[in-house]
């Protein structure tokens, strides 16, 4: 599916009206198109496919854990259409072929730039890495602050939600799982 920016702009016009503003008045006349353009960027993952991103593999004889920590990500909570953002820690166990590390960050970006909930986002990253990298295991930890929790609702700034998804050997093999979790959680920078 593709983002319908015209529809998003129409919605923003209604929101402006709901706020008691005239969407045609000078100060906000460009706002609907501006918001639509911002959404196009924030939700760029909607129009992307995994195949566009993870397509170059390197054949190597490496079958130990590959891990990238502290990948910043930005997403949008589909319940409130407010941003949530944080850090992703991604580990996988290759089966003879690896991808450039930047691809792992691209996978995180592809999945996060969509209307999401953090739990599904975590699972999607894990499933995509398992499927596209033909991995023996994948382990993902996400730490995020949700503006729908910090600026509204319970208003608890600083609260961090942590989710994890383990697949393959990271789920079934205790030693691999323990090593992955130690690597994923050990000695990382504290999230701002
Ligand atoms: Zn929310």
């Amino acid at each position: 599916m593709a983002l319908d920016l015209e529809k998003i702009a129409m919605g923003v016009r209604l929101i402006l009206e709901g706020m008691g503003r005239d969407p045609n008045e000078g100060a906000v006349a460009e706002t609907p198109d501006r918001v639509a353009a911002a959404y196009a960027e924030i939700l760029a993952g909607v129009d992307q496919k995994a195949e566009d991103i993870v397509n170059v593999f390197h054949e190597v004889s490496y079958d130990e854990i590959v891990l990238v920590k502290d990948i910043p990500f930005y997403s949008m909570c589909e319940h409130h259409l407010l941003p949530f953002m944080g850090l992703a820690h991604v580990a996988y166990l290759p089966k003879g072929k690896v991808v450039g590390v930047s691809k792992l960050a691209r996978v995180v970006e592809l999945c996060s730039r969509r209307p999401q909930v953090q739990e599904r986002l975590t699972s999607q990253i894990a499933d995509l890495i398992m499927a596209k990298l033909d991995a023996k295991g994948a382990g993902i930890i996400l730490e995020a602050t949700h503006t729908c929790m910090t600026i509204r609702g319970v208003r608890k700034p600083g609260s961090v939600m942590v989710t994890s998804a383990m697949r393959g050997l990271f789920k079934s093999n205790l030693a691999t799982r323990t090593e992955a979790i130690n690597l994923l959680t050990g000695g990382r920078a504290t999230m701002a």
Side-chain angles (χ1 to χ4, degrees):
M1 82 143 274
L3 282 180
D4 186 336
L5 298 184
E6 218 165 286
K7 238 178 203 177
I8 291 173
M10 271 164 60
V12 175
R13 257 173 232 119
L14 289 175
I15 291 173
L16 284 169
E17 281 177 17
M19 292 169 174
R21 299 290 295 264
D22 173 2
N24 299 312
E25 101 192 25
V28 293
E30 302 294 320
T31 298
D33 287 340
R34 249 187 240 120
V35 173
Y39 273 31
E41 206 177 318
I42 296 165
L43 304 176
V46 171
D47 292 338
Q48 284 180 323
K49 286 198 190 74
E51 287 72 20
D52 304 338
I53 290 174
V54 189
N55 45 16
V56 181
F57 297 94
H58 312 288
E59 304 284 335
V60 289
S61 54
Y62 185 80
D63 58 359
E64 304 290 334
I65 292 174
V66 178
L67 175 113
V68 184
K69 286 201 287 193
D70 300 332
I71 304 169
F73 73 89
Y74 307 88
S75 191
M76 186 191 278
C77 152
E78 68 184 18
H79 297 142
H80 300 96
L81 302 186
L82 286 171
F84 67 97
M85 67 282 279
L87 297 173
H89 316 295
V90 176
Y92 76 104
L93 201 52
K95 205 192 278 175
K97 60 178 183 180
V98 299
V99 288
V101 281
S102 67
K103 298 293 182 186
L104 296 177
R106 298 287 306 277
V107 167
V108 171
E109 194 165 291
L110 171 88
C111 298
S112 58
R113 290 184 173 264
R114 295 171 178 181
Q116 279 286 16
V117 294
Q118 187 176 331
E119 295 87 337
R120 189 208 297 135
L121 172 58
T122 316
S123 305
Q124 279 182 355
I125 296 169
D127 291 337
L128 213 150
I129 285 171
M130 285 301 280
K132 297 296 168 199
L133 272 63
D134 189 28
K136 284 194 270 188
I140 317 297
I141 292 181
L142 297 189
E143 303 173 84
T145 53
H146 290 245
T147 54
C148 62
M149 249 181 85
T150 56
I151 64 170
R152 61 157 294 285
V154 291
R155 291 198 197 115
K156 293 287 176 264
S159 54
V160 175
M161 180 168 164
V162 181
T163 46
S164 73
M166 298 288 156
R167 299 287 187 270
L169 284 183
F170 288 12
K171 194 168 191 162
S172 59
N173 183 297
L174 186 62
T176 311
R177 180 192 180 88
T178 307
E179 188 188 352
I181 289 176
N182 283 342
L183 287 168
L184 283 164
T185 56
R188 64 165 179 270
T190 316
M191 220 185 74

